[in-house]
């Protein structure tokens, strides 16, 4: 074989990858965890601790800022009705945000649900979302249980589909007519 007939790939270029069989479904990444939740590797435990501490620190600092806002209302002499209304508003918004965030870890919202309408309310009640994130990160990566169930279901479906294939369909004998 002459030099001209050999592979003419440039020195720095990698050869084209060969066609490989599909390996199955890919796990869905989780924010701050990537796909380490699948096998609990790659610093998964350290990430959970970091997420728990970060969300709790965020909730405390947010509550501290809301305290300053409340003191600003008191300094402005707006009256007890408005001061109490603001506190009640944030308490209700936080409890709704907590409930919706906690619910999102166990099931996906329906496409026609009211999640888009509640975005503003969840933004106001962000302390509730941070507390839900903190509590869930003490047990697992937030959303891990839901994604693990979906991944296992998709993997089982993939294996079932792969195992039902029996070779080349063109090489099969034709069926007998009765």
């Amino acid at each position: 074989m002459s030099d001209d007939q050999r592979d003419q790939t440039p020195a720095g270029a990698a050869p084209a990858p060969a066609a490989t069989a599909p390996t199955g479904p890919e796990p869905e990444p989780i924010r701050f965890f990537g796909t380490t939740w699948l096998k609990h590797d790659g610093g998964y435990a350290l990430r959970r601790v970091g997420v728990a501490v970060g969300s709790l620190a965020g909730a405390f600092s947010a509550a501290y800022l809301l305290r300053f806002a409340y003191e600003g209302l008191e300094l402005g002499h707006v009256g007890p009705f408005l001061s109490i209304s603001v506190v009640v508003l944030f308490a209700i918004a936080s409890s709704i945000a907590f409930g919706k965030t906690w619910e999102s870890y166990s099931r996906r919202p329906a496409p026609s649900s009211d999640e888009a309408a509640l975005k503003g309310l969840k933004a106001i009640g962000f302390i509730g979302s941070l507390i839900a994130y903190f509590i869930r990160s003490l047990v697992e990566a937030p959303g891990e249980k839901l994604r693990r169930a979906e991944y296992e279901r998709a993997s089982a479906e993939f294996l079932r589909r792969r195992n039902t294939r029996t070779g080349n369909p063109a090489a099969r004998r034709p069926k007998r007519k009765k």
Side-chain angles (χ1 to χ4, degrees), residues 20-30 34-39 108 146-156 158-159 161:
T20 59
T23 58
E26 294 291 322
E28 184 180 352
I30 298 175
T35 58
T36 61
W37 60 267
L38 188 60
K39 296 179 184 174
R108 298 226 184 238
L146 173 67
R147 286 181 175 88
R148 186 173 302 280
E150 290 173 350
Y151 176 74
E152 289 173 355
R153 191 176 324 115
S155 294
F158 175 79
L159 286 176
R161 281 185 281 133

Side-chain angles (χ1 to χ4, degrees), residues 36-162:
T36 61
W37 60 267
L38 188 60
K39 296 179 184 174
H40 292 187
D41 60 349
Y44 171 80
L46 191 59
R47 290 176 191 219
R48 267 194 36 211
V49 169
V51 162
V53 169
S55 60
L56 188 62
F60 275 131
S61 61
Y64 196 67
L65 287 175
L66 286 178
R67 178 177 166 234
F68 280 136
Y70 181 77
E71 287 178 0
L73 290 175
E74 290 296 318
L75 288 174
H77 303 291
V78 294
F81 177 74
L82 185 60
S83 298
I84 292 172
S85 298
V86 168
V87 170
V88 169
L89 168 77
F90 275 103
I92 291 172
S94 291
S95 64
I96 290 172
F98 178 89
K100 290 296 182 180
T101 303
W102 191 264
E103 182 182 297
S104 72
Y105 298 142
S106 59
R107 65 183 168 106
R108 298 226 184 238
S112 63
S113 71
D114 58 346
E115 287 297 313
L118 291 176
K119 275 188 176 181
L121 190 63
K122 285 174 73 174
I124 293 170
F126 63 98
I127 294 177
S129 293
L130 287 171
I131 292 172
Y133 205 81
F134 166 72
I135 292 172
R136 190 57 155 207
S137 65
L138 294 176
V139 177
E140 65 179 8
E144 176 183 346
K145 184 177 180 182
L146 173 67
R147 286 181 175 88
R148 186 173 302 280
E150 290 173 350
Y151 176 74
E152 289 173 355
R153 191 176 324 115
S155 294
E157 178 70 20
F158 175 79
L159 286 176
R160 186 185 62 77
R161 281 185 281 133
R162 287 294 288 174

